[in-house]
Amino acid sequence: MSYPAVARAAMEGLDGSLIRTVFAEGAGLEDVIPLWFGEPDVVTPGFIREAAKQGLDAGRTFYNSNFGIDELRAAIAQYQSGLGRSVRFDGVCVTASGVNAIMLACQALLDPGDRVVLPEPFWPNLAGISRVLGAEVATVPLRLRGAAWSPAWSVDLDELLAALTPGTRMVMLNAPANPTGWMLSRAEQEVLLAHGRRLGIWILADDVYERVVFDQPAAPAFLDIAHADDRLVSINSFSKSWAMTGWRLGWINAPSTLMPALGKISEFNTSCTPPFVQLAGIAALQQGEPFIAATMARYRAMRDLACARLGSIPGVSVPVPGGAMYSFFAVEGCTDSLALARSLLHGAHVGLAPGRAFGPAGEGCLRLCFAVAEDRLQAACDRIADHLAHTGGR
Ligand SMILES: Cc1ncc(COP(=O)(O)O)c(C=O)c1O
C-alpha cells in the first residue's frame, strides 16, 4: 500500500494567483514596465530604515509578546486617536503584515462551512484565506455604472444587505478597495454596522488603504462609529502608507473579548513580529505624516494622468478611484483578461494584472498600479494605447 504525498483536499480547490501567472511569464523579458503588483516604487524612507538599524544595534533581536511590543501598541493607539478614532491599547494586536492580520482574525473567527460574504472584484487573498479555512465564500458584485465619460464602481447596498443573511458569519469589506478603488460612505457603513449588530455578523474591515485616499486625510472607517464590543475587526498594514511592503508589519484592532484568542493564534503562526521591525513601525507612525502627504500628492497626479491617458483610448472605460493605487479599467470586447494581459506583456512589454484575478466580476478589466514615476507611467500608457489600437483589446 502506498500513500500519495499530496496536500489536503481543500488545497486542490485553491486558485493560484493569476497576477503571479503573468508575472512569471514576464521573467526574462527585457524592458518590461511592471505595473502588476500593488506596491510603491520607492524604497522605505530613511528615517524608518534608521529606526530599524538602531533597534538592531541596541540588540532588539529577541522574542517578544504575541501582541507586539508595548511601545508599538501604544504608538498605534495614539496614531489612531489622532485620526479621531478611540482605540484602546489593549485592543491592538501587532501582526507580521496585513495578510497575516487577516489570517489571524479569520483563524480566530471562522469554522469550516461558515458563510463569508464579500464584494467582488476583491483582493484575492480575502477569498483565499476564507477558503483555506474551509469557509464558504459568497460574493456580491460591484458594478461599473454612470455615464461613459465618468463611470464609477458601486455596490447596490440592498443587494449586499440581502446577501448578509441570518447565519452569515462574516462580511469582509475592503474600502478603499483593491482593485477598484471603491469607497464606502459613512452612511453605508452605519447601515452595515446596524445590520451586522442585528444579526450577529462579524465585520472584517480591511483598512490597509485608509490613508491612500485622494480628497481627505483618511477614509471613513467602521472604527470611527463602532462600539468597543461590536463584532468588528479592523485590519491594517504599514505596507502601503509608509512604503514598507517588504517589512511585513501590520496590526489588528479587535474587541477585548477576542484578544485572548488572537494571542494564542499569533503564538501558533509567527509567535511574534521582529522587534527591530516594530521599532521601524513606531518611527513611521510618529514621523510619517510628511511622507504620506508627499506620497499622496504624487499618487494624485499619477491617478489623474493614468485616468486621462487610458480614458482617451477608444473602447476603454476608466473609473476614477477615490482611494488605493490602482486604475481598474474595462476594455470593450475583452472576454479573456488573462489573454489580454499576456498579449500586453509580450506585445507591448507592460505588466498588468488581469481583471479575472479578482473574481469573475473583474473579467473584461485590467488593473494598473499607478504608484510609479511619471515617465514610466507615460511610457506604459503609450504602449497600452498602441497595443489596443492594433489588437482591438482581444
Ligand atoms: C486589500 C489588501 N489588504 C491587505 C493587503 C496586505 O498587505 P500586506 O500583507 O503587505 O500588509 C493588501 C496588499 O496588497 C491589499 O491589497
Side-chain angles (χ1 to χ4, degrees), residues 157-197:
L157 189 59
D158 289 334
E159 200 179 348
L160 179 54
L161 292 173
L164 300 180
T165 49
T168 297
R169 180 65 173 165
M170 179 186 280
V171 56
M172 293 178 160
L173 294 166
N174 165 227
N178 174 6
T180 53
W182 167 70
M183 309 267 287
L184 268 174
S185 68
R186 164 70 73 235
E188 288 170 327
Q189 287 174 342
E190 275 165 359
V191 171
L192 286 159
L193 184 62
H195 186 83
R197 275 183 190 144

Side-chain angles (χ1 to χ4, degrees), residues 37-39 95-102 122-126 174-179 206-209 235-240 244-246 248-250 326 367:
F37 291 138
E39 75 181 339
T95 61
S97 76
V99 69
N100 176 237
I102 299 167
F122 47 69
W123 182 52
N125 294 28
L126 292 169
N174 165 227
N178 174 6
D206 179 339
D207 293 326
V208 309
Y209 294 101
I235 298 305
N236 225 310
S237 166
F238 288 80
S239 288
K240 315 290 173 175
M244 292 177 71
T245 49
R248 315 314 295 137
L249 185 63
Y326 313 102
R367 188 192 75 176

Side-chain angles (χ1 to χ4, degrees), residues 20-384:
R20 286 203 177 265
T21 305
V22 183
F23 170 72
E25 263 187 46
L29 281 184
E30 283 188 11
D31 185 31
V32 171
I33 304 179
L35 307 177
W36 30 40
F37 291 138
E39 75 181 339
D41 67 341
V42 294
V43 162
T44 308
F47 68 90
I48 299 177
R49 302 199 309 267
E50 201 47 49
K53 286 184 210 163
Q54 283 176 12
L56 281 169
D57 289 343
R60 300 292 295 267
T61 57
F62 295 97
Y63 287 137
N64 60 96
S65 160
N66 297 138
F67 298 107
I69 58 175
D70 284 355
E71 304 105 287
L72 177 56
R73 296 175 79 197
I76 290 170
Q78 196 182 15
Y79 159 79
Q80 292 187 297
S81 304
L83 296 177
R85 291 159 197 171
S86 80
V87 166
R88 288 167 46 136
F89 161 89
D90 58 4
V92 174
C93 179
V94 175
T95 61
S97 76
V99 69
N100 176 237
I102 299 167
M103 181 57 98
L104 294 178
C106 289
Q107 285 177 347
L109 292 172
L110 296 181
D111 276 323
D114 275 349
R115 175 180 166 87
V116 174
V117 174
L118 69 159
E120 183 189 332
F122 47 69
W123 182 52
N125 294 28
L126 292 169
I129 287 171
S130 307
R131 292 188 177 121
V132 165
L133 298 171
E136 301 292 332
V137 174
T139 63
V140 175
L142 296 175
R143 296 206 171 82
L144 198 48
R145 292 206 176 91
W149 62 89
S150 70
W153 290 100
S154 66
V155 74
D156 179 332
L157 189 59
D158 289 334
E159 200 179 348
L160 179 54
L161 292 173
L164 300 180
T165 49
T168 297
R169 180 65 173 165
M170 179 186 280
V171 56
M172 293 178 160
L173 294 166
N174 165 227
N178 174 6
T180 53
W182 167 70
M183 309 267 287
L184 268 174
S185 68
R186 164 70 73 235
E188 288 170 327
Q189 287 174 342
E190 275 165 359
V191 171
L192 286 159
L193 184 62
H195 186 83
R197 275 183 190 144
R198 251 191 321 274
L199 297 183
I201 299 172
W202 280 90
I203 296 176
L204 183 144
D206 179 339
D207 293 326
V208 309
Y209 294 101
E210 67 174 359
R211 301 301 308 280
V212 190
V213 280
F214 299 105
D215 304 313
Q216 48 201 324
F222 282 98
L223 272 183
D224 300 333
I225 52 172
H227 303 148
D229 59 352
D230 272 321
R231 290 190 156 195
L232 170 70
V233 280
S234 160
I235 298 305
N236 225 310
S237 166
F238 288 80
S239 288
K240 315 290 173 175
S241 302
W242 296 279
M244 292 177 71
T245 49
W247 295 70
R248 315 314 295 137
L249 185 63
W251 75 87
I252 302 173
N253 297 103
S256 56
T257 41
L258 199 63
M259 295 307 282
L262 288 176
K264 284 184 247 181
I265 285 177
S266 160
E267 174 63 27
F268 303 138
N269 280 268
T270 53
S271 298
C272 61
T273 307
F276 57 92
V277 169
Q278 297 189 57
L279 293 174
I282 296 174
L285 293 170
Q286 294 180 342
Q287 302 164 50
E289 288 305 311
F291 175 76
I292 293 181
T295 303
M296 287 318 298
R298 194 162 73 90
Y299 287 1
R300 189 178 298 109
M302 292 312 108
R303 175 198 68 169
D304 293 347
L305 193 158
C307 290
R309 292 292 318 275
L310 296 171
S312 68
I313 304 173
V316 172
S317 196
V318 190
V320 177
M325 46 176 78
Y326 313 102
S327 176
F328 196 64
F329 57 95
V331 180
E332 200 176 70
C334 169
T335 52
D336 185 344
S337 54
L338 179 59
L340 180 55
R342 279 183 168 141
S343 121
L344 274 160
L345 175 65
H346 294 286
H349 288 207
V350 181
L352 300 183
R356 193 168 8 120
F358 308 96
E363 188 49 289
C365 295
L366 294 166
R367 188 192 75 176
L368 171 152
C369 175
F370 53 69
V372 291
E374 181 178 343
D375 58 336
R376 305 281 280 162
L377 188 57
Q378 289 278 19
C381 291
D382 288 344
R383 293 181 187 188
I384 295 169

